[in-house]
C-alpha cells in the first residue's frame, strides 16, 4: 500500500444569480458550461437564486454569453442579476473569472 498524502477537497467557486430573467439565466448557465467545458459545472436552483459553480475556477466570457443570447451583452451588466459569488472575482471587458487561491508553498490552484 502506498503512503500518499491526502488531497484537499476541491473548493467550489462561481456566481449566485437571481433567476428572474430566465433567458439571461439560461444564457449565463450555458455560457459558463461552454467556457468551463473541462470541468464539472454544478447548477443548484434554490428558487429565488441559482448557484453556478465549478472547482477552483469558473470562467464566463463575453463571447460565449453573446453567442447564447444572440446579441451584444457587456459583462458589466451581469451585476444586475449577480446577488453574490463564491471565491474571488477577476474582471475584464471580455471575461469574468471566479477563482480560489490555495496558500500552499506559494502556489495557486488550478
Amino acid at each position: 500500500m502506498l503512503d500518499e498524502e491526502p488531497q484537499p477537497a476541491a473548493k467550489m467557486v462561481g456566481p449566485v444569480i437571481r433567476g428572474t430573467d430566465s433567458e439571461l439565466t439560461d444564457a449565463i448557465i450555458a455560457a459558463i458550461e461552454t467556457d468551463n467545458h473541462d470541468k464539472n459545472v454544478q447548477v443548484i436552483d434554490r428558487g429565488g437564486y441559482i448557484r453556478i459553480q465549478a472547482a477552483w475556477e469558473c470562467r464566463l466570457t463575453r463571447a460565449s454569453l453573446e453567442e447564447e443570447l444572440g446579441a451584444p451583452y457587456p459583462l458589466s451588466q451581469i451585476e444586475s442579476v449577480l446577488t453574490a459569488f463564491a471565491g474571488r472575482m477577476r474582471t475584464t471587458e471580455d471575461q469574468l473569472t471566479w477563482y480560489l487561491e490555495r496558500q500552499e508553498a506559494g502556489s495557486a490552484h488550478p
Side-chain angles (χ1 to χ4, degrees):
M1 177 184 229
L2 292 175
D3 187 21
E4 295 181 17
E5 283 190 40
Q7 296 297 312
K11 302 294 184 180
M12 306 304 280
V13 296
V16 178
I17 58 175
R18 277 190 283 280
T20 54
D21 181 341
S22 62
E23 181 182 359
L24 179 58
T25 299
D26 292 345
I28 291 170
I29 292 167
I32 287 176
E33 288 173 340
T34 296
D35 291 333
N36 298 277
H37 60 86
D38 59 335
K39 297 182 177 209
N40 178 23
V41 174
Q42 298 176 357
V43 179
I44 304 162
D45 189 340
R46 298 287 189 214
Y49 67 91
I50 298 167
R51 180 179 300 277
I52 308 164
Q53 58 189 20
W56 297 105
E57 182 180 87
C58 181
R59 295 179 335 117
L60 172 63
T61 64
R62 183 171 51 87
S64 292
L65 183 57
E66 290 178 347
E67 176 73 24
E68 291 297 328
L69 289 171
Y73 194 91
L75 289 179
S76 61
Q77 290 184 3
I78 292 290
E79 291 180 25
S80 67
V81 295
L82 185 68
T83 62
F85 59 89
R88 295 181 175 190
M89 187 168 73
R90 190 171 33 240
T91 63
T92 69
E93 220 174 86
D94 296 318
Q95 180 172 297
L96 298 176
T97 304
W98 295 272
Y99 65 99
L100 187 68
E101 291 181 349
R102 192 171 49 176
Q103 301 298 316
E104 283 185 21
S107 67
H109 196 283

